[in-house]
Amino acid sequence: DEADEGFVILLEAVDPAVAPFVDLSTHNTTLGRIYDNDKLLIGFQQAQYEFPETNETHEAVIIKVNGTKTEQTYLIDVSARDGSALNRLDYIIGKGDIQRFTIHPNQQSIQFRFEILEDSVVEYVESFTISLENAPEVEPRFETQGTITTTRINITDRTPFVIGFKQNLTTVPENVGSFDISVAILSPDPVTVVPDVNFEIF
């Protein structure tokens, strides 16, 4: 194994007859980088996943980006961080806050599984993130340069809103002038969030 190596490529006008008509003073160099592909380079397959809010198990895939020649076994720590979705209320990643995985030389991917929990609260979209890193104080260590090390999990709530009048009948006196009739979300959780409808009696 060796550290990344770099080099510079220079653009020059070789033909003296062309040189006076070409400006190479501003963009005449570029950098090259050689990375050691014997090292394991890993990351998530996707930067974002979307799953429905159902009591089911899903997975995010961790893949080898390169390093297929690597003949060593690596340990990977995967952790979840709450966003609007909360661990053990909206999702479960298993026992503990960090899950440790072993990736063997003949493996090309790991399936990180978690459970999405269904509740009766309408949130439309909730999310949390999953990140991977080297297990601390463990050798050998893999590389993550340029890979997706954190992926976002969106939980979509497909529960329909039922909106309607709160009362089947509203009775008012003839001289009331004006009155309001409340419109509300009736299910799954009754709450008045829609503006009242105003009527006038003449």
Side-chain angles (χ1 to χ4, degrees):
D1 289 347
E2 57 187 348
D4 290 351
E5 300 170 290
F7 59 94
V8 178
I9 301 173
L10 179 64
L11 185 64
E12 296 180 325
V14 179
D15 188 344
V18 176
F21 306 100
V22 179
D23 183 2
L24 299 175
S25 62
T26 56
H27 302 287
N28 62 342
T29 60
T30 185
L31 299 178
R33 182 174 66 89
I34 303 172
Y35 63 85
D36 184 0
N37 63 357
D38 289 332
K39 294 181 179 180
L40 178 63
L41 184 65
I42 69 166
F44 285 106
Q45 192 174 43
Q46 299 175 210
Q48 183 169 286
Y49 292 83
E50 184 171 309
F51 302 106
E53 188 185 68
T54 56
N55 293 316
E56 295 180 337
T57 299
H58 300 280
E59 62 185 35
V61 181
I62 302 167
I63 61 172
K64 282 183 177 178
V65 178
N66 77 294
T68 55
K69 298 179 182 179
T70 302
E71 297 179 355
Q72 296 173 301
T73 297
Y74 291 77
L75 293 180
I76 301 171
D77 281 354
V78 183
S79 60
R81 182 170 183 173
D82 289 349
S84 53
L86 305 179
N87 189 16
R88 305 198 179 281
L89 291 178
D90 300 302
Y91 69 94
I92 297 177
I93 65 167
K95 296 180 179 179
D97 296 328
I98 298 177
Q99 307 296 306
R100 178 162 293 180
F101 296 89
T102 301
I103 186 165
H104 300 281
N106 60 338
Q107 281 184 283
Q108 294 303 310
S109 63
I110 298 173
Q111 284 69 43
F112 176 72
R113 293 183 173 88
F114 49 90
E115 184 178 357
I116 300 296
L117 303 179
E118 185 174 13
D119 57 34
S120 60
V121 180
V122 179
E123 298 111 339
Y124 187 62
V125 177
E126 299 173 283
S127 64
F128 64 99
T129 56
I130 301 173
S131 300
L132 60 86
E133 59 185 10
N134 282 283
E137 301 178 0
V138 174
E139 296 292 341
R141 302 178 71 79
F142 58 83
E143 302 290 332
T144 58
Q145 196 170 36
T147 68
I148 303 170
T149 57
T150 297
T151 186
R152 179 187 179 99
I153 309 297
N154 291 327
I155 305 172
T156 55
D157 190 347
R158 303 298 186 188
T159 305
F161 289 90
V162 178
I163 298 177
F165 292 109
K166 295 182 67 176
Q167 300 175 206
N168 292 328
L169 174 65
T170 300
T171 304
V172 295
E174 186 178 29
N175 60 350
V176 70
S178 66
F179 65 97
D180 295 331
I181 297 179
S182 295
V183 179
I185 294 176
L186 304 178
S187 68
D189 297 303
V191 57
T192 302
V193 296
V194 182
D196 291 342
V197 179
N198 182 264
F199 293 87
E200 292 188 9
I201 301 294
F202 297 99

